[in-house]
Amino acid sequence: ALCGMLTEIAALNVRQNGSRRSLLEGVMTAATAAVVAPQLAVAEETSMTDVYFGVGCYWHIQHEFVEGERKMLGRSDAQLTSMTGYAGGTKIGSEGRVCYHNMQQIADYGRLGHGEVVGMSIPQSKIGDFAELYFSLFNPRTKDRVDPMDRGGEYRSLLGLPGGTSHASYPAVLEAAAKAGFTLKEGKGNDGDTLGTQSVWVYDTAKFPFYQAEVYHQFHNDFQSPAYGKAYNNIANQAFADGRLKVTGCPDRV
């Protein structure tokens, strides 16, 4: 097909311009377009993008995104990237820490204005698919999180993209939100609870980065479902051993 296209362009240039230069320019332009277009498509398909999503307690959300990675990306346990964490606040604690509530009152994520999220690294071309998964995690009847008993900004609905609303895949996220009956709002940091509003805060991950949660909060059972099983729980140990999970400096089991 490429050879045929080059031949047609060459013949056209010869008829119109009758010059060797026009012939060569036509051939080179067609060849460049034929090579660059597939490369751009492949780059978009394989370019990994760090994003995060949050709606209520992060234990259940992590499990659902783990299943999303397995089904949509074919990832094994050793390749999973969905980790619980915190985002959306304007402050961090000493030594760059953001921690779960703790007796020592070290870098408490709620006091710092952050919400519970699950961060992951996915192909840019799949952001829209993962956004659809995200909006399916809300209660379809109430359009709220499935654990409304948890109240406050720590449990607000939020998502993060590089560049926020200016990201190339934001229209796909906006479409998924509209289809599910939600409004997206640009987050300013330390934003309030979204319960009862059918809205989601959108953050620029460059300004509001993801902070990994403690190891003991990873691959945890939740209160919405039966226990996920030891094999699922033990992924935390595997991820810590291979470096996907880091020591946070917060009170933890490692």
Side-chain angles (χ1 to χ4, degrees):
L2 174 58
C3 290
M5 180 170 63
L6 297 180
T7 301
E8 291 176 5
I9 292 175
L12 179 62
N13 280 327
V14 169
R15 289 195 301 270
Q16 292 180 340
N17 303 304
S19 71
R20 181 175 299 175
R21 177 176 296 177
S22 296
L23 169 62
L24 293 176
E25 288 177 351
V27 169
M28 291 305 296
T29 299
T32 301
V35 172
V36 171
Q39 288 179 339
L40 291 175
V42 171
E44 182 179 347
E45 179 69 26
T46 59
S47 175
M48 291 298 133
T49 304
D50 292 334
V51 300
Y52 56 73
F53 297 92
V55 49
C57 176
Y58 48 26
W59 291 342
H60 173 67
I61 306 307
Q62 181 182 30
H63 178 266
E64 298 308 299
F65 277 112
V66 163
E67 290 301 301
E69 286 192 79
R70 287 170 171 166
K71 294 174 182 177
M72 287 190 274
L73 305 179
R75 288 177 173 171
S76 67
D77 288 354
Q79 298 171 316
L80 296 171
T81 64
S82 293
M83 307 294 169
T84 58
Y86 314 103
T90 58
K91 299 178 181 179
I92 58 176
S94 62
E95 301 176 20
R97 293 177 293 186
V98 179
C99 307
Y100 193 70
H101 310 306
N102 57 85
M103 296 295 292
Q104 297 94 317
Q105 298 187 9
I106 298 172
D108 185 297
Y109 81 103
R111 295 183 178 182
L112 295 173
H114 295 272
E116 295 189 13
V117 297
V118 174
M120 65 207 70
S121 183
I122 58 177
Q124 179 175 321
S125 61
K126 296 293 185 182
I127 290 176
D129 295 330
F130 275 77
E132 288 188 5
L133 171 59
Y134 170 66
F135 286 106
S136 76
L137 303 180
F138 290 78
N139 183 315
R141 183 178 59 83
T142 65
K143 302 291 186 181
D144 272 319
R145 53 182 177 262
V146 296
D147 50 353
M149 67 292 295
D150 290 329
R151 301 294 180 100
E154 298 102 309
Y155 302 104
R156 65 189 183 268
S157 302
L158 68 161
L159 63 88
L161 300 167
T165 58
S166 66
H167 189 273
S169 294
Y170 180 70
V173 177
L174 190 62
E175 181 180 355
K179 187 185 302 183
F182 286 84
T183 300
L184 302 183
K185 303 188 295 184
E186 187 171 1
K188 304 300 182 183
N190 293 18
D191 300 290
D193 199 354
T194 53
L195 190 66
T197 67
Q198 293 182 218
S199 63
V200 176
W201 296 110
V202 179
Y203 295 98
D204 178 354
T205 57
K207 298 177 181 178
F208 301 97
F210 170 83
Y211 296 91
Q212 180 209 299
E214 299 82 346
V215 174
Y216 79 89
H217 275 304
Q218 307 292 339
F219 303 93
H220 200 291
N221 295 326
D222 64 51
F223 301 114
Q224 307 300 323
S225 313
Y228 298 128
K230 291 296 183 182
Y232 175 80
N233 303 147
N234 286 336
I235 298 173
N237 296 328
Q238 179 183 359
F240 183 70
D242 64 27
R244 281 175 290 160
L245 285 174
K246 311 294 185 183
V247 172
T248 62
C250 298
D252 204 349
R253 66 176 176 84
V254 296

